[in-house]
Amino acid sequence: MSLAARIPHTLKQVRPVLSTDHAEAKRRVLNLYKIWLRQIPYIRVDYIKNNWTEPRLRDIIKENFMRNKDVTDVRAIDLLVVRGQMDFVETAEIWRQQHNVAVFDSTKNTYKKKPASFLERFYEGY
C-alpha cells in the first residue's frame, strides 16, 4: 500500500473570501488605502477635537496599513480589507465617537510589551 493511499482525503480546497489571487488582494488593499487617503480632509473636519494635521492623519493611516504588511494568506488579507472597509464606513458616516477614532493613533499605544528574558518575566511575576 502506497503512502498516498494511506493518507485520508480530508483535506479540501478552501474557497476564497473575496480575492482569487495575491494580485487581486493587493489591488483591494491599495483601493482601500486610497479611499482612506481621500477621506482625510473630512475626517479632520468631523473629528476636530483631536487636532490632527493632514500629514499626521496620513502617517496614522500608513502605520495602520503597514502593521499588517507581512500577512501573506489571501483569505486573511481579504478579512483585513473587509474590516478596514467597515472601519472606513463607521468613520465616514460619523458613527464613531471621538475616543474611538483616537484608537487609530498608534502613538497612544496602550499595549504592554511582554517580557523577553527570564529575569524580566520573573520580575513581572510570570
Side-chain angles (χ1 to χ4, degrees), residues 112-115 118-126:
K112 190 174 178 184
K113 184 182 172 192
K114 283 184 101 176
F118 171 76
L119 286 176
E120 290 175 358
R121 288 193 307 261
F122 179 75
Y123 293 141
E124 291 291 324
Y126 282 100

Side-chain angles (χ1 to χ4, degrees), residues 52-69:
W52 285 329
T53 61
E54 288 191 21
R56 179 63 192 137
L57 282 171
R58 250 185 261 113
D59 290 342
I60 291 170
I61 291 170
K62 183 178 180 180
E63 288 169 9
N64 284 325
F65 273 85
M66 295 303 285
R67 189 178 302 153
N68 297 313
K69 70 179 180 179

Side-chain angles (χ1 to χ4, degrees), residues 15-52:
R15 292 184 338 173
V17 176
L18 293 174
S19 307
T20 56
D21 59 352
H22 282 283
E24 188 176 352
K26 182 179 179 179
R27 183 179 51 81
R28 289 181 190 277
V29 170
L30 289 176
N31 285 339
L32 180 63
Y33 186 70
K34 289 176 187 176
I35 289 171
W36 272 104
L37 290 181
R38 281 189 218 115
Q39 191 68 20
I40 285 177
Y42 306 107
I43 293 172
R44 189 165 174 244
V45 170
D46 294 337
Y47 299 98
I48 195 109
K49 288 184 182 176
N50 292 329
N51 293 328
W52 285 329

